[in-house]
Structures are given as structure tokens and as C-alpha cells.
């Protein structure tokens, strides 16, 4: 059995980044991965401009408090001022270019205006409240590197240098299906022995958040033939096949045998809870990832293993999640034989510092725990915890989207 860390490494070693690219409009590029870095041709900001509403002045004119200057121009954002001469001030508004001759901005709050004369109470220093041309981005500088996943700030930065398009990797195609004869689709009444298919909704949402193209093959019956047929069509349609259920060792678990029939399996067990059976194999040119059927196990193993694999496969250079130390508000006295990823929720402790609590029912079928939680508490094999000690916490913000 692999450790969770070994499994992750083995998966990342096998994830072949896409090489096909396309040039697309940035308006539709959310979650896509840059295949080519972006270099700026412009300065951001393009010109020296004011960070405050107030007056543009020559600091030489205001060496003492209460200097009085004549207001000779008004410059709003989007306008351009004229040369500022000795003894003059320009009324100026945030974002407006600093006029030639001025070397400082005085905040409106530090002045008073009477007619066309402004009194400056505070002595300004050269450069005060001026945002310099190029202080964010210089022409010729690289602003985003290949492998960057485009999210809000990245798309904003690309827009700030005037870009409308970027070269990105094509979308990864992921085929998914759930196995289980007991599964009923939401919206229909449950027959005896059935349960609703929740993994399909969970995985679909997680995959959508990642920005892959989803081929949803629905539910596949618990037979060898049906599983083989489903994998055969999935391997023709997708780069990666993702399934849930049917990967244990029971007679009703056909996924492993079907993958072995069509290709090969490299990995199939990991020493963790929730989880244990996680299959990685190859069928034709497609990767196969089989996650366990229990809803929490499927969710957790997707986040910890499938997601980093898919991100690397998509061409992203940042694939790993980060964990942070958080104070435990619980005892964990029984050392385990498998690494545990417990559903935890961070609250403010009595001293105002954050501490993590555990959902009382950590069973791998209790999806409520994942909704209640805002991350996973990572307990190593053999680790015990005394309330107040620090534990590793992986926030869902590192694992979802
Ligand atoms: P399996 O891995 O197929 O042995 O399934 C383990 C447990 O997870 C069983 O109790 C299944 O009923 C349940 N399960 C499997 N797939 C799903 C699913 N798509 N939605 C909800 N529960 C599931
Ligand atoms: Mg099953």
C-alpha cells in the first residue's frame, strides 16, 4: 500500500502536461492555463498620477506650513493638465496625471480653499501621494509566466496591460461515470435498496471549477461488461477517465478488472482514511483514475490526488495544495495505522486565536461533514494530538476550484 505522499508523487510523475494550445479571448479564459507567458508593452500605470484627491503643488513653494498658492487649473481623472508655475496649485482628483512642474500632491484634508487661493497646512515632500509611471509594471517585463492558471487577478493583470487574447493549453477532456446498481438519480423516487447518486454532482462541480471539459457518462451498472463498455467509450472521448465506486475488492467491484482488461493498473491502494482504494491506470492513451464510492472518500481523494494530477495534466505549474498549522480544539488519542484527513472547521478560540474543531461523525459516508467543514485536518500515521497542540490544516480554498 502506498502512503498518501507516495501516491501523490506517483500520480504527478505520471501526469503528462498537454501540449496542444490555442489562442482565445481573455473574456472566456477563466481557469485556463497560459501556454505562453505575457510580456507587457506598456507601463502600468502609464503616467505619474495622483493617489489622492487634493492639490498638485511644487514642494519648493510649500517649505513652511500654511503656504498659500493660486489654484490655476483643475485636472480630473482622464484629463491632462498644463505646466504648473511657481506659486501655483492644480486642483486634482485621484487617477489624474500629475501636471508638469508639480512634484507632490497635498491631500484635500490638509488644505483649505478661499476663492482661488488654497492654503496648505502640511509641508509636502517630493513624491508625496504620486503613483509613479511603471511602478506596477515596466515595459518589456514579464507579467505572467507559462503554466499560470487564469483567475480574477491574473485576468485583471492581463487587462491592465491591454491584452485581449492569450495562448493557452486546450481544455483537458475528462470523462466521468459513477458505478453502483444502488444509485438513483435525484428527482426520481427511491426504490427499495437505492440511494441517490451524490458523487456525480460533487465531481461535476469540482471538475467545472477546475475548468476542464466534462464528458458525463452517467451511471454504469455493476457488471464487468458494462464497465468495460463504459471505459471503452470514455477512452475514445477523453484524456482522463474519472470514476467513483467499484474499486474495492468485493465481487461487485468491476472497475479494476475492466481497466486491466483494456490497459493496465499502476496503483490501487493508499494508506489513508477516508479513501484506501484509489486506482490509477492507463487505457489506450487515456489516464484512468478510480476513486472510492463513499461520498466523503470520493470528495477527499479527488481534492488530494485527482486535482493535482489534473492540474499538472492541464499544463498548470502550481499543482500542490498548502497546509497551515492550526491549534487543535480536540484530542486525538488513538494512533492510527492510516493517515487521516478529518473534516474540520476553524472557529475563534477564547483567546481570539483560530482553532480547529472536528465534525463528530467522521464516517466516509457522511457528506454533511464536508459541508460543515472548511478544510481537512491531516493526521499522520501514529500521530496523537492533545487539545491545544498544533495540527496541519488544509483549507478547502486550497483544494476546491
Ligand atoms: P463502492 O466503492 O462501490 O463499494 O461504494 C462504497 C459506498 O459508497 C457504498 O455504500 C455505495 O452505495 C456508496 N456510493 C458509491 N457510489 C456512490 C455515489 N455515486 N453516490 C453516493 N453514494 C455512493
Ligand atoms: Mg459499488
Amino acid at each position: 500500500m502506498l502512503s498518501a505522499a507516495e501516491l501523490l508523487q506517483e500520480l504527478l510523475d505520471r501526469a503528462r502536461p498537454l501540449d496542444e494550445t490555442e489562442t482565445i479571448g481573455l473574456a472566456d479564459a477563466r481557469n485556463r492555463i497560459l501556454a505562453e507567458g505575457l510580456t507587457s508593452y506598456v507601463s502600468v500605470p502609464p503616467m505619474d498620477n495622483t493617489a489622492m484627491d487634493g492639490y498638485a503643488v511644487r514642494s519648493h513653494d510649500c517649505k513652511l506650513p500654511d503656504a498659500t498658492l493660486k489654484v490655476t487649473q483643475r485636472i480630473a481623472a482622464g484629463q491632462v493638465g498644463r505646466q504648473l508655475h511657481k506659486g501655483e496649485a492644480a486642483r486634482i482628483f485621484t487617477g489624474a496625471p500629475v501636471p508638469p512642474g508639480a512634484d507632490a500632491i497635498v491631500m484635500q484634508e490638509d488644505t483649505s480653499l478661499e476663492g482661488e487661493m488654497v492654503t496648505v497646512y502640511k509641508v509636502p515632500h517630493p513624491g508625496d501621494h504620486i503613483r509613479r509611471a511603471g511602478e506596477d509594471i515596466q515595459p518589456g517585463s514579464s507579467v505572467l509566466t507559462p503554466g499560470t492558471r487564469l483567475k480574477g487577478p491574473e485576468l485583471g493583470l492581463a487587462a491592465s496591460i491591454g491584452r485581449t487574447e492569450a495562448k493557452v493549453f486546450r481544455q483537458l477532456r475528462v470523462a466521468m461515470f459513477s458505478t453502483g446498481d444502488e444509485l438513483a438519480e435525484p428527482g426520481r423516487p427511491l426504490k427499495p435498496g437505492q440511494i441517490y447518486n451524490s458523487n456525480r454532482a460533487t465531481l461535476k462541480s469540482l471538475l467545472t471549477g477546475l475548468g476542464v471539459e466534462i464528458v458525463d457518462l452517467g451511471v454504469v451498472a455493476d457488471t464487468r461488461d458494462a464497465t468495460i463498455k463504459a471505459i471503452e467509450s470514455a477512452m475514445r472521448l477523453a484524456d482522463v477517465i474519472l470514476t467513483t465506486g467499484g474499486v474495492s475488492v468485493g465481487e461487485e467491484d468491476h472497475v479494476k478488472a475492466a481497466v486491466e482488461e483494456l490497459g493496465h493498473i499502476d496503483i490501487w491502494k493508499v494508506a489513508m482514511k477516508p479513501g484506501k482504494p484509489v486506482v490509477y491506470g492507463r487505457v489506450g492513451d487515456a489516464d484512468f483514475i478510480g476513486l472510492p464510492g463513499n461520498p466523503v472518500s470520493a470528495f477527499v481523494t479527488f481534492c488530494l490526488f485527482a486535482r493535482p494530477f489534473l492540474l499538472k495534466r492541464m499544463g498548470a505549474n502550481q499543482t500542490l495544495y498548502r497546509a497551515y498549522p492550526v491549534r487543535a480544539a480536540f484530542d486525538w488519542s488513538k494512533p492510527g495505522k492510516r493517515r487521516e484527513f478529518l473534516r474540520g472547521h476553524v472557529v475563534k478560540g477564547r483567546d481570539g486565536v483560530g482553532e480547529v474543531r472536528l465534525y463528530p461523525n467522521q464516517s466516509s459516508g457522511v457528506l454533511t461533514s464536508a459541508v460543515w467543514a472548511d478544510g481537512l485536518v491531516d493526521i499522520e500515521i501514529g500521530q496523537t494530538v492533545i487539545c491545544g497542540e498544533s495540527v496541519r490544516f488544509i483549507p478547502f480554498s486550497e483544494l476546491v476550484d
Side-chain angles (χ1 to χ4, degrees):
M1 221 186 309
L2 292 179
S3 72
E6 286 164 343
L7 171 62
L8 182 58
Q9 195 51 54
E10 294 283 332
L11 284 173
L12 290 176
D13 289 347
R14 286 169 172 78
R16 306 151 290 160
L18 284 172
D19 49 20
E20 293 143 79
T21 63
E22 56 186 338
T23 297
I24 62 166
L26 285 168
D28 304 311
R30 189 179 128 78
N31 281 333
R32 299 297 291 270
I33 314 281
L34 282 183
E36 223 173 67
L38 289 188
T39 299
S40 181
Y41 302 116
V42 298
S43 297
V44 181
M47 68 284 171
D48 288 0
N49 69 95
T50 172
M52 294 285 172
D53 290 336
Y55 294 88
V57 300
R58 299 155 61 103
S59 57
H60 248 293
D61 294 347
C62 316
K63 283 207 157 146
L64 296 171
D66 301 336
T68 299
L69 304 168
K70 186 172 182 198
V71 181
T72 53
Q73 52 180 319
R74 183 179 188 281
I75 316 165
Q79 298 176 342
V80 177
R82 301 180 309 275
Q83 178 72 35
L84 195 76
H85 298 107
K86 195 171 178 339
E88 293 180 351
R91 179 76 174 116
I92 197 164
F93 300 91
T94 304
V98 176
D103 67 352
I105 305 295
V106 181
M107 282 165 65
Q108 178 172 307
E109 292 83 341
D110 296 329
T111 65
S112 74
L113 183 68
E114 251 193 78
E116 20 174 50
M117 301 306 286
V118 64
T119 302
V120 177
Y121 300 132
K122 228 173 113 183
V123 174
H125 301 286
D128 276 2
H129 306 303
I130 293 176
R131 301 190 284 212
R132 291 291 177 202
E135 76 174 28
D136 183 1
I137 296 166
Q138 298 270 331
S141 63
S142 155
V143 299
L144 293 170
T145 52
T148 299
R149 200 163 164 230
L150 298 171
K151 295 275 197 188
E154 291 77 16
L155 291 167
L157 199 66
S160 81
I161 61 168
R163 289 306 177 86
T164 56
E165 289 185 333
K167 194 172 185 182
V168 297
F169 292 107
R170 75 156 166 85
Q171 261 184 310
L172 189 74
R173 277 185 292 275
V174 179
M176 55 173 272
F177 63 82
S178 326
T179 70
D181 286 346
E182 73 280 31
L183 300 178
E185 285 308 306
R188 296 185 197 158
L190 284 180
K191 293 187 191 129
Q194 288 191 320
I195 73 164
Y196 285 120
N197 183 354
S198 60
N199 289 341
R200 188 180 186 181
T202 305
L203 291 186
K204 235 176 156 168
S205 166
L206 292 169
L207 289 171
T208 303
L210 266 185
V212 302
E213 191 185 318
I214 301 170
V215 182
D216 182 3
L217 299 176
V219 176
V220 172
D222 282 327
T223 67
R224 189 184 160 99
D225 283 358
T227 313
I228 287 179
K229 257 177 94 180
I231 295 175
E232 271 175 339
S233 51
M235 64 195 260
R236 267 183 276 113
L237 296 168
D239 304 299
V240 180
I241 306 167
L242 189 69
T243 68
T244 61
V247 286
S248 305
V249 289
E251 284 154 34
E252 298 291 333
D253 298 313
H254 300 282
V255 169
K256 225 180 125 231
V259 176
E260 273 170 336
E261 174 86 27
L262 299 169
H264 60 90
I265 283 180
D266 294 5
I267 299 167
W268 73 286
K269 256 188 179 173
V270 52
M272 65 176 274
K273 233 171 128 183
K276 200 158 174 185
V278 173
V279 169
Y280 173 82
R282 287 277 287 277
V283 282
D285 205 31
D287 299 283
F288 181 91
I289 298 180
L291 303 177
N294 271 306
V296 179
S297 308
F299 168 63
V300 170
T301 54
F302 178 89
C303 293
L304 296 177
F305 306 112
R307 183 177 188 274
F309 176 89
L310 292 172
L311 281 169
K312 181 161 175 214
R313 195 77 172 70
M314 289 159 71
N317 53 18
Q318 212 181 320
T319 54
L320 292 178
Y321 53 85
R322 287 159 295 191
Y324 301 93
V326 178
R327 188 172 66 191
F330 60 88
D331 288 313
W332 191 259
S333 49
K334 227 180 105 199
K337 290 201 171 64
R338 289 190 276 160
R339 187 160 160 190
E340 298 228 20
F341 294 93
L342 304 161
R343 271 69 66 215
H345 178 62
V346 175
V347 293
K348 213 180 198 182
R350 258 193 228 134
D351 55 3
V353 177
E355 57 185 30
V356 60
R357 294 195 182 152
L358 295 182
Y359 193 72
N361 187 345
Q362 292 284 335
S363 158
S364 58
V366 176
L367 202 49
T368 307
S369 68
V371 173
W372 175 88
D374 41 32
L376 300 173
V377 177
D378 176 3
I379 307 275
E380 282 294 344
I381 295 171
Q383 185 185 350
T384 55
V385 177
I386 298 168
C387 190
E389 284 180 354
S390 174
V391 288
R392 269 166 60 89
F393 181 71
I394 312 163
F396 283 152
S397 56
E398 290 285 325
L399 299 172
V400 174
D401 261 28

